Structures are given as structure tokens and as C-alpha cells.
Amino acid sequence: MPSSSMCSGRQDRMRSIAVVALQEILWVAEGGVMMCGIFCVPLARQKAMFLWGAALLAVVGLGELLLPGHAFLHATVKILSMPVILLLWTRGKVIRRLAIYLCSIMYLNLPYLCIDFVFCWLSGQPAVFEGHWAYRLLRSIAVIAAIACLSGAVRRMVPGYQEIISNMQTKYFVIGCASTMAASLIQHSIEEIGKAYGDTGLAAMIIGSMIFVSGMFYVLWVGIAILDLFRKKYKEESGLKDKYLEITKGYVRLVRKNARETRKMRHDLQAHIRILSYYMGRGEYGKAQAYLMEMQDHMEQAIKKVVSVNHEIVDAVLQEARARGEQLHIRWEIDGMLPGKLGIGDFDLCTIFSNLLSNSIEACAGVHVEERAVCLEIRRFGEYLVIEIVNPAKEEVDLGRLGAGTSKGDLEHHGFGIANVKSMVKKNHGEIVFENRPGKFSVKILFFLEK
């Protein structure tokens, strides 16, 4: 009998440890899916980081066995280890990831409440107050599945969702933590009131009230973030329009200057022809050739060569980029023409070419002078228009993070403005492809031309 009792007790303890370990694994999985799915935190690339995180998770999972009779110590270790595990499994600025982690954990309370509400409504039992281990496990699995589905749906339905979240400032996640903390305090108060009345029939009503209050605070944070994003986008677009207007004015001034110089030369052309005829008539061909070369040099200095790709706005952007690249001694290879009827707005084209050419110029600044060359090629293949820009690269670009802000390395030359380029390409139903080549970086854009 004692042996049977000891065996049963050992089995109960092992089952208890297994349940606790599974709960902690699911707990980490909830936070990870929330951070990487909803808030788009990129995963770490080093396998060693995943191994260290897994080892720490295993230690925490065996906490019941390693720390028998120390429930408070085990709970403290568990709470402190979860952010460390998720920080090891992700990458980015530590402060930002910590803020996102806290926001993720606080936001998990809402799906918890929704599942509790559904369960109470179906069963009429206040399971949320009982805390049964089987219910908690099923709830965690349901939360992970719901967050994963929601993440996939949002990414499909909201164009550029990942870029929007990645470019969101850290302060908004701090604000989100504060708003969810306030919601949690109110939830706790409502829950305590429900316990004081002791009416289990009111469980669904109490949980429904908690969901409503929490939803208000959560929506408040999302609303603040969205409004500020629209404000920033409006300010950015206004700044871009002013910049593009200035580029266009500069292009118009250059064209007018060239026109004036052309008129001056045409006015003096007869005098130059008479002098050349004089030299030719006297058989002084050397002097005639020298005078002709002097005329040519004067024309090249007086009239700047204007590159045209059959689009005035893009021509203006190209001219401004070439002027900025003069001090860096950048060589330009521009080939091809844009079709007359492109069906893409001037602002969109200006945004695409301006950002890509600016990134190319900045990339050229990081390499030796003899390597500084930007190649722009425009080709039409049947119903498709292909625009390709190639520039030198000091090192390979992290293609996975393009459009998610600037970072170290060559992303410094390619992160800024890429999100806008992607947005404009997608808006016009095009496709964009980035490619690392030996010592070079290329951007290829494909547009479908309507008949």
C-alpha cells in the first residue's frame, strides 16, 4: 500500500511538472507570436541565440523540480526569464523590443477575456475565476491560433503593414503599455466587485464589462498611433511635394539658361562662320580647327547637357541627381525612354526615382572614386515596362530589412525612402525586386502597361 501511494504521488508530481512546463512554453509562444506576428519584430539570425533561449526555457520549465517548495522564487524567475528568452530569439534595438514585449503581454489580456466570455456564455460557469489547468492550456492554444490568424489577415489586408509597424516610434508602444496598464487596473476592480457580490450568474456580464473597458483603452492607443501616422504621412508628402517643386523649378531654370545661351550663340553664329571662312579661304586650316574647337568648348561650358527619358518630371529629378553627384565624380549611364502614356502619376514617379537615385548617390559616397557609377536602364518588353537602377555597394544589403528604417552597414544607404518606393510601386500595381550582386546593388521595378 505505501509503495502504491508513493508511486501515485510521484505520478501526480510528474504530471504537475509537465503541465507547468507546457504552460510556460505556451506562455512564451503567446508573447513570441504577438511580438513577431502582430508587431513585426524580426527573428534573430544566429542559431546560437535560439539555443540559448531554448536552454533558458528548459531551465524555467524544470523550475518546479529544481526549486521545490519555492513557488515565489520560481514565479519570479519565470517572469524575468520570459523577456530574456524573447530578446534572445529576436533582433533590433533592445529598448524598442522591451517596450514591444510589455505591450504584447498587456495586449494578450484582451484575447484572454474574449475566450473567457465565450466559455462563460456557453457553459454558464465562471471558469475565469476557477483557474483550472486544462482550461488555461486550451485557452493559451486558442490565443496563439487566434493571434496567428489575425496577424496573417492584417498583413494581407493592410498594404505595407509591416513597414508601418517597423517605422512606428518606440514611444507609441510605451503609451500602449500605459493605456493597457490602466485598463488592467479597471479590470481588476471590476473583477473584485464581481467576487464581492458572489453571483456566478453575473460572470459573463462582468467579463463583458471588462472586455468593453479594455477595448476602449486599446482602441484609444491604436487611434493615437494611427492619427499620428497620418499626420506624419501628410507632413512627409507635403515636404516631398515642396522638394519636387523645387527640383522642377531648378530644371526649368536650367532649360531657360540653356535657351538663352543657345540664342546668344545663334546670334553670334554668322560672325563665327565669317571667321572660319576667312581662315579657310587663306588656307590656314590649323587656325580654323583651333577656332572650331574653342567654339565647341565654349558651347559645352555654357550649355549643360540635359538628359531626357521622355518625361519632364523624371528628367528634372535626373538632372538634380546628376548635379548633386558632380562633387562625388559619379559617372552616369542612362539608357532608354519612358513611354508617352504611362498611366502613373507624376508624384508617384518622382517619389520612386528621387528616393532610388538619392540612395544610389549615398552608396557611391562609400566606395572609391573609380567605382562610383550609377546605371539607369529603362526597357519595354511587350506589355511590361522594366526600370533598373544599379549602383556600387560597399557590402551586401540585408534585403529582409529594406523599408524598415535605416540601420548599420549598407542599409544606411538603402533603408531611407525604400518604404515610400514600395508603397508607390504597389499603388500602381507594380512589382519591385532587390538584388545583391558582387560589389553592386540593383533595384528592378516592373510595371504593366495598359493598352
Side-chain angles (χ1 to χ4, degrees), residues 146-349:
I147 294 173
C149 293
L150 178 62
S151 172
V154 170
R155 289 168 184 258
R156 289 192 303 270
M157 294 171 60
V158 181
Y161 174 78
Q162 186 171 355
E163 287 80 6
I164 292 172
I165 298 297
S166 299
N167 292 321
M168 188 179 291
Q169 296 180 7
T170 305
K171 66 179 181 180
Y172 292 113
F173 297 105
V174 176
I175 295 172
C177 292
S179 65
T180 51
M181 181 67 72
S184 296
L185 292 174
I186 296 175
Q187 290 171 21
H188 181 71
S189 300
I190 296 174
E191 188 175 349
E192 289 300 318
I193 292 172
K195 287 181 179 180
Y197 280 100
D199 186 357
T200 58
L202 295 175
M205 184 182 299
I206 293 170
I207 298 172
S209 301
M210 292 164 66
I211 292 173
F212 177 75
V213 173
S214 300
M216 289 181 62
F217 278 92
Y218 297 163
V219 169
L220 175 64
W221 172 71
V222 174
I224 291 172
I226 290 175
L227 286 175
D228 192 71
L229 284 174
F230 276 114
R231 181 190 64 82
K232 286 175 61 179
K233 186 176 181 181
Y234 175 77
K235 184 178 179 181
E236 183 181 0
E237 287 186 355
S238 298
L240 287 174
K241 288 178 180 178
D242 292 339
K243 175 187 174 183
Y244 299 157
L245 180 61
E246 196 60 37
I247 290 174
T248 305
K249 287 181 178 178
Y251 181 72
V252 171
R253 286 194 295 267
L254 177 62
V255 172
R256 287 180 176 176
K257 179 178 178 296
N258 286 350
R260 286 196 300 270
E261 294 297 332
T262 302
R263 286 196 296 269
K264 288 180 183 179
M265 290 181 180
R266 188 168 59 240
H267 180 268
D268 298 335
L269 187 59
Q270 290 186 352
H272 295 314
I273 291 175
R274 283 196 295 270
I275 293 174
L276 287 172
S277 298
Y278 173 77
Y279 286 140
M280 295 291 288
R282 292 171 58 89
E284 298 177 348
Y285 302 112
K287 290 184 177 180
Q289 185 178 8
Y291 190 83
L292 192 60
M293 292 180 64
E294 185 179 353
M295 285 179 58
Q296 184 177 356
D297 290 340
H298 177 72
M299 289 178 63
E300 289 179 353
Q301 292 177 7
I303 301 177
K304 289 190 176 181
K305 185 177 180 181
V306 178
V307 177
S308 177
V309 293
N310 196 34
H311 193 286
E312 292 182 354
I313 301 297
V314 178
D315 291 345
V317 173
L318 284 171
Q319 193 63 41
E320 189 266 347
R322 282 162 54 88
R324 280 194 293 140
E326 284 181 356
Q327 294 181 349
L328 296 173
H329 305 288
I330 297 175
R331 301 186 309 280
W332 293 85
E333 300 175 13
I334 301 173
D335 188 20
M337 292 283 180
L338 291 171
K341 294 182 180 180
L342 188 54
I344 302 175
D346 293 346
F347 181 81
D348 297 352
L349 278 175

Side-chain angles (χ1 to χ4, degrees), residues 1 3 34 81 117 130 153 182 193 216 286 339 367 391 426:
M1 291 294 292
S3 176
M34 195 76 178
S81 63
F117 177 77
E130 294 176 2
I193 292 172
M216 289 181 62
V367 299
N391 59 257
K426 185 176 291 186

Side-chain angles (χ1 to χ4, degrees), residues 10-37:
R10 191 180 300 110
Q11 289 178 352
D12 290 341
R13 179 167 176 75
M14 292 302 295
R15 183 169 58 249
S16 176
I17 292 173
V19 169
V20 171
L22 182 57
Q23 285 178 340
E24 289 166 359
I25 292 172
L26 291 174
W27 190 35
V28 173
E30 288 172 359
V33 172
M34 195 76 178
M35 285 182 66
C36 301

